[in-house]
mmCIF file of all heavy atoms in Angstrom:
data_model
loop_
_atom_site.group_PDB
_atom_site.id
_atom_site.type_symbol
_atom_site.label_atom_id
_atom_site.label_comp_id
_atom_site.label_asym_id
_atom_site.label_seq_id
_atom_site.Cartn_x
_atom_site.Cartn_y
_atom_site.Cartn_z
ATOM 1 N N GLN B 1067 -9.899 -11.302 -0.631
ATOM 2 C CA GLN B 1067 -9.344 -12.435 -1.371
ATOM 3 C C GLN B 1067 -9.827 -12.410 -2.818
ATOM 4 O O GLN B 1067 -10.559 -13.288 -3.252
ATOM 5 C CB GLN B 1067 -9.766 -13.748 -0.719
ATOM 6 C CG GLN B 1067 -9.171 -14.007 0.642
ATOM 7 C CD GLN B 1067 -9.711 -15.285 1.250
ATOM 8 O OE1 GLN B 1067 -10.911 -15.470 1.412
ATOM 9 N NE2 GLN B 1067 -8.818 -16.202 1.589
ATOM 10 N N SER B 1068 -9.419 -11.413 -3.575
ATOM 11 C CA SER B 1068 -9.850 -11.311 -4.970
ATOM 12 C C SER B 1068 -8.978 -10.294 -5.678
ATOM 13 O O SER B 1068 -8.101 -9.678 -5.079
ATOM 14 C CB SER B 1068 -11.320 -10.870 -5.055
ATOM 15 O OG SER B 1068 -11.450 -9.500 -4.731
ATOM 16 N N ALA B 1069 -9.254 -10.128 -6.967
ATOM 17 C CA ALA B 1069 -8.532 -9.138 -7.756
ATOM 18 C C ALA B 1069 -9.313 -7.828 -7.809
ATOM 19 O O ALA B 1069 -9.024 -6.965 -8.631
ATOM 20 C CB ALA B 1069 -8.296 -9.667 -9.171
ATOM 21 N N ALA B 1070 -10.304 -7.661 -6.920
ATOM 22 C CA ALA B 1070 -11.186 -6.501 -6.970
ATOM 23 C C ALA B 1070 -10.476 -5.169 -6.789
ATOM 24 O O ALA B 1070 -10.771 -4.221 -7.512
ATOM 25 C CB ALA B 1070 -12.304 -6.657 -5.943
ATOM 26 N N PRO B 1071 -9.555 -5.022 -5.833
ATOM 27 C CA PRO B 1071 -8.900 -3.711 -5.711
ATOM 28 C C PRO B 1071 -8.052 -3.405 -6.946
ATOM 29 O O PRO B 1071 -7.558 -4.318 -7.623
ATOM 30 C CB PRO B 1071 -8.016 -3.866 -4.465
ATOM 31 C CG PRO B 1071 -8.494 -5.087 -3.777
ATOM 32 C CD PRO B 1071 -9.062 -5.971 -4.833
ATOM 33 N N THR B 1072 -7.883 -2.141 -7.221
ATOM 34 C CA THR B 1072 -6.965 -1.723 -8.277
ATOM 35 C C THR B 1072 -5.567 -1.658 -7.685
ATOM 36 O O THR B 1072 -5.293 -0.844 -6.808
ATOM 37 C CB THR B 1072 -7.361 -0.344 -8.838
ATOM 38 O OG1 THR B 1072 -8.680 -0.417 -9.382
ATOM 39 C CG2 THR B 1072 -6.378 0.086 -9.928
ATOM 40 N N VAL B 1073 -4.694 -2.558 -8.145
ATOM 41 C CA VAL B 1073 -3.335 -2.647 -7.622
ATOM 42 C C VAL B 1073 -2.359 -2.248 -8.717
ATOM 43 O O VAL B 1073 -2.391 -2.805 -9.820
ATOM 44 C CB VAL B 1073 -3.019 -4.077 -7.140
ATOM 45 C CG1 VAL B 1073 -1.580 -4.165 -6.645
ATOM 46 C CG2 VAL B 1073 -3.991 -4.495 -6.036
ATOM 47 N N THR B 1074 -1.508 -1.293 -8.439
ATOM 48 C CA THR B 1074 -0.474 -0.881 -9.385
ATOM 49 C C THR B 1074 0.849 -0.761 -8.646
ATOM 50 O O THR B 1074 0.890 -0.592 -7.430
ATOM 51 C CB THR B 1074 -0.807 0.463 -10.059
ATOM 52 O OG1 THR B 1074 -1.104 1.424 -9.049
ATOM 53 C CG2 THR B 1074 -2.000 0.327 -10.993
ATOM 54 N N GLY B 1075 1.934 -0.848 -9.398
ATOM 55 C CA GLY B 1075 3.248 -0.694 -8.792
ATOM 56 C C GLY B 1075 4.232 -1.733 -9.260
ATOM 57 O O GLY B 1075 4.073 -2.337 -10.317
ATOM 58 N N GLY B 1076 5.247 -1.972 -8.450
ATOM 59 C CA GLY B 1076 6.292 -2.918 -8.788
ATOM 60 C C GLY B 1076 7.660 -2.278 -8.687
ATOM 61 O O GLY B 1076 7.823 -1.169 -8.174
ATOM 62 N N TRP B 1077 8.664 -3.015 -9.188
ATOM 63 C CA TRP B 1077 10.025 -2.504 -9.161
ATOM 64 C C TRP B 1077 10.189 -1.333 -10.112
ATOM 65 O O TRP B 1077 9.632 -1.325 -11.211
ATOM 66 C CB TRP B 1077 11.011 -3.601 -9.552
ATOM 67 C CG TRP B 1077 11.138 -4.677 -8.523
ATOM 68 C CD1 TRP B 1077 10.744 -5.975 -8.631
ATOM 69 C CD2 TRP B 1077 11.709 -4.538 -7.214
ATOM 70 N NE1 TRP B 1077 11.012 -6.659 -7.474
ATOM 71 C CE2 TRP B 1077 11.613 -5.804 -6.582
ATOM 72 C CE3 TRP B 1077 12.292 -3.474 -6.522
ATOM 73 C CZ2 TRP B 1077 12.065 -6.021 -5.291
ATOM 74 C CZ3 TRP B 1077 12.742 -3.688 -5.225
ATOM 75 C CH2 TRP B 1077 12.642 -4.948 -4.633
ATOM 76 N N GLN B 1078 10.959 -0.372 -9.689
ATOM 77 C CA GLN B 1078 11.339 0.740 -10.543
ATOM 78 C C GLN B 1078 12.701 0.437 -11.172
ATOM 79 O O GLN B 1078 13.412 -0.467 -10.709
ATOM 80 C CB GLN B 1078 11.385 2.027 -9.727
ATOM 81 C CG GLN B 1078 10.071 2.354 -9.028
ATOM 82 C CD GLN B 1078 8.885 2.363 -9.969
ATOM 83 O OE1 GLN B 1078 8.738 3.259 -10.798
ATOM 84 N NE2 GLN B 1078 8.021 1.353 -9.877
ATOM 85 N N PRO B 1079 13.082 1.122 -12.234
ATOM 86 C CA PRO B 1079 14.376 0.852 -12.868
ATOM 87 C C PRO B 1079 15.521 0.866 -11.854
ATOM 88 O O PRO B 1079 15.620 1.769 -11.027
ATOM 89 C CB PRO B 1079 14.508 1.999 -13.876
ATOM 90 C CG PRO B 1079 13.092 2.332 -14.232
ATOM 91 C CD PRO B 1079 12.317 2.154 -12.950
#
Side-chain angles (χ1 to χ4, degrees):
Q1067 292 176 303
S1068 74
T1072 300
V1073 178
T1074 52
W1077 290 112
Q1078 303 307 289

